[in-house]
Amino acid sequence: GTVDTELSSHLRDGVRQAVERQIENMELLHPEDIADAVSYIVTRDRRVAVNEILVRAGEQTW
């Protein structure tokens, strides 16, 4: 999902600008949202296997 981190600042100019246009009106996820998901996964009982998880911003459609 689209998380509010510094990652996009490491993209080359054209790519960074395209990403910024795509997410300009979107409320991004916070890093804590991803941390919560990871915490959920690693604290399950051994009988539980979380094989996949998709976390994305509520407004993200892609």
Side-chain angles (χ1 to χ4, degrees), residues 28-41:
L28 302 179
L29 294 171
H30 297 249
E32 297 82 19
D33 298 323
I34 303 305
D36 287 344
V38 171
S39 177
Y40 172 81
I41 292 168

Side-chain angles (χ1 to χ4, degrees), residues 22-62:
Q22 192 168 25
I23 65 172
E24 67 185 343
N25 295 317
M26 186 183 302
E27 183 177 0
L28 302 179
L29 294 171
H30 297 249
E32 297 82 19
D33 298 323
I34 303 305
D36 287 344
V38 171
S39 177
Y40 172 81
I41 292 168
V42 301
T43 58
R44 298 306 88 201
D45 191 272
R46 291 181 59 104
R47 72 178 183 283
V48 179
V50 180
N51 295 316
E52 293 183 36
I53 189 166
L54 173 62
V55 181
R56 65 179 184 194
E59 299 169 337
Q60 184 176 340
T61 59
W62 37 270

Side-chain angles (χ1 to χ4, degrees), residues 5-25:
T5 66
E6 77 285 347
L7 182 61
S8 63
S9 69
H10 299 283
L11 301 172
R12 68 178 194 269
D13 288 340
V15 174
R16 185 177 64 251
Q17 291 163 346
V19 168
E20 289 171 353
R21 280 193 306 273
Q22 192 168 25
I23 65 172
E24 67 185 343
N25 295 317

